[in-house]
Amino acid sequence: MTGPGDPPEGTPEGAPGGGEDEYRSVVFDESFVRAARLQEFSAQERMGDHAPAVRSRHAWSRFGGSRQALILVLLIALAFGTAIYMGVRHPYRAPDPTPAPPLRSTVIPLAPVGTVPGGRPADLFERSPAAGFRIGAAGVNLPVVRRTGEFSESQVMNALTTAKEYVVRSSLDPDTLAGGPARGVRLLLDTTQLVQFDRSLERPSDDGRHAATGWLVRFDPSQVRLADPRVRVDGTLGVEPAAGGNALEVTADYTFVYAVRPPDDRTSAGGAGNTAPASTGNAAPAASKDTAQGGTAHAADRRDDGASLFTVRRELHFRFDRDDLRDRRLEVQSSYLQAGPMSCNSGPESALRPLLAGERAGNGRPEGTDPYAHGSTNASLCGVLAPSAEPSPLD
């Protein structure tokens, strides 16, 4: 029934105090219903015996879509954190670089047939096969550079310039020639060859792997020094792809001619260990002339005319993989060196000991080679220096 003042049909919809406005404060929206702690059973569910009228709802069920969003956020955060952890401290170690094969070296002293000719450095060079050679690093020329295999022109240029730098540092650097530590040479080597290099310089051995002169040219400073710093150089550089195409191989084949003399202006004839001084018929008149002119003039003559030439032929094989090209390093695979004039038993594995002006090779022989010693990888070798390789005699 309607109240005394209400219209017969009830308060019109939309009129103040009528319709839904009367119950607006107790109408619940959908989110409020989902958040309720108690849920009423349906009529079908209440038909069961002793079934309660309501049931408690789990806390997660009240969130509905919010729960799914929360789980998604947690999964994303977990995945992101795992990715960061694996990137910083992953359980897998980077593979170690493939070690370069050890250097194989051969050093052959060349003994002269007769007496080592002496004179002024400029005259000796002019009368030798090195008369047309270039001086110093200018003699180490690069070939025409072009793309090779899978390597670009810039990578080929990088390999050739690194090889040239090694040849220059190991054959022309004054500190290296004088028996210094050769740090410049060491910096160019692949890191996996450093142990062998250090062992070769500290404890050289004629075993085909640990000859110091297999890596570089150096003299015994107690027996010889340079008479002219301008070393004559001639040779070639070549490059080609390695088998498999994953590396570059560079070959350096050069001849170096040094003008040398005894240290501290000592007389050279007969002063180099296993050598025999040569006798000359005009020694007495020359001595009388020097005595008449005074001792100072005699010492000056020895400084000007007591030089001789020493020739070194080096053939080096280098290998460059992509890591070497990136780091500007190289692997020295093999070294073949011939040097003379030298005595056959001069021990060239540690340092080169040239025969000086007026000296002969004598009867020394290299150490014997035992064919039963399977641990030895190098035979003791000695060659003969061709007379055509020495300065021609004065007319």
Side-chain angles (χ1 to χ4, degrees):
M1 294 181 62
T2 60
D6 293 335
E9 298 297 332
T11 304
E13 185 175 354
E20 296 180 357
D21 290 341
E22 182 178 358
Y23 302 99
R24 186 174 302 276
S25 61
V26 295
V27 173
F28 309 123
D29 56 11
E30 184 178 356
S31 62
F32 182 86
V33 173
R34 287 199 306 266
R37 297 179 58 186
L38 299 177
Q39 182 182 22
E40 184 179 5
F41 284 105
S42 65
Q44 183 68 27
E45 292 173 330
R46 288 198 302 270
M47 292 177 62
D49 295 339
H50 308 291
V54 296
R55 61 184 172 194
S56 298
R57 301 182 64 189
H58 194 274
W60 283 106
S61 64
R62 288 179 281 159
F63 290 101
S66 300
R67 177 182 62 179
Q68 298 177 356
L70 179 61
I71 293 176
L72 180 61
V73 171
L74 290 176
L75 289 175
I76 293 176
L78 180 61
F80 186 71
T82 303
I84 294 178
Y85 176 81
M86 294 295 291
V88 175
R89 297 187 62 183
H90 56 82
Y92 305 103
R93 295 182 56 189
D96 295 330
T98 303
L103 166 69
R104 297 299 182 115
S105 62
T106 302
V107 181
I108 302 177
L110 301 177
V113 175
T115 303
V116 177
R120 298 174 185 271
D123 296 337
L124 294 172
F125 282 125
E126 187 65 25
R127 301 180 352 243
S128 75
F133 287 9
R134 295 190 176 187
I135 297 175
V140 186
N141 294 321
L142 299 182
V144 177
V145 178
R146 57 175 58 92
R147 180 182 180 89
T148 302
E150 299 180 359
F151 294 89
S152 65
E153 182 176 328
S154 62
Q155 290 176 316
V156 175
M157 174 63 77
N158 187 5
L160 289 171
T161 53
T162 304
K164 173 180 177 177
E165 189 173 0
Y166 183 90
V167 171
V168 171
R169 291 186 182 184
S170 64
S171 308
L172 300 174
D173 180 72
D175 292 337
T176 300
L177 295 177
R183 295 187 182 91
V185 177
R186 191 179 190 275
L187 289 174
L188 294 175
L189 292 175
D190 186 283
T191 54
T192 58
Q193 286 190 318
L194 295 180
V195 173
Q196 184 187 12
F197 176 80
D198 294 339
R199 161 72 168 78
S200 300
L201 267 61
E202 295 171 0
R203 299 185 305 277
S205 174
D206 185 21
D207 60 358
R209 295 186 178 183
H210 298 99
T213 47
W215 299 94
L216 46 82
V217 176
R218 70 174 180 178
F219 299 109
D220 184 349
S222 66
Q223 296 188 13
V224 68
R225 67 179 179 87
L226 291 180
D228 187 345
R230 297 169 296 180
V231 181
R232 272 50 173 185
V233 183
D234 185 64
T236 59
L237 273 174
V239 60
E240 62 181 3
N246 60 345
L248 286 173
E249 292 182 350
V250 176
T251 301
D253 188 355
Y254 282 91
T255 300
F256 304 89
V257 186
Y258 307 87
V260 296
R261 67 166 65 253
D264 302 328
D265 297 326
R266 68 172 175 83
T267 57
S268 58
N274 297 310
T275 62
S279 60
T280 58
N282 59 355
S288 301
K289 181 179 179 181
D290 291 337
T291 304
Q293 294 179 353
T296 303
H298 180 68
D301 289 342
R302 287 210 311 266
R303 286 195 298 270
D304 292 339
D305 300 336
S308 60
L309 297 187
F310 185 73
T311 304
V312 176
R313 164 85 178 277
R314 300 186 75 193
E315 183 177 342
L316 299 165
H317 292 267
F318 306 108
R319 183 180 184 275
F320 296 83
D321 58 25
R322 298 189 182 275
D323 292 338
D324 294 327
L325 293 174
R326 181 195 62 211
D327 300 335
R328 289 189 60 83
R329 293 178 178 268
L330 51 78
E331 304 170 13
V332 188
Q333 291 188 309
S334 65
S335 171
Y336 182 80
L337 182 144
Q338 299 173 334
M342 292 179 64
S343 294
C344 290
N345 60 346
S346 59
E349 68 277 1
S350 58
L352 302 178
R353 298 172 178 85
L355 293 174
L356 303 175
E359 296 178 347
R360 301 175 65 94
N363 297 321
R365 295 182 179 181
E367 295 182 3
T369 301
D370 185 359
Y372 295 96
H374 295 281
S376 178
T377 59
N378 201 40
S380 298
L381 303 174
C382 186
V384 177
L385 182 65
S388 59
E390 297 180 308
S392 60
L394 292 172
D395 296 333

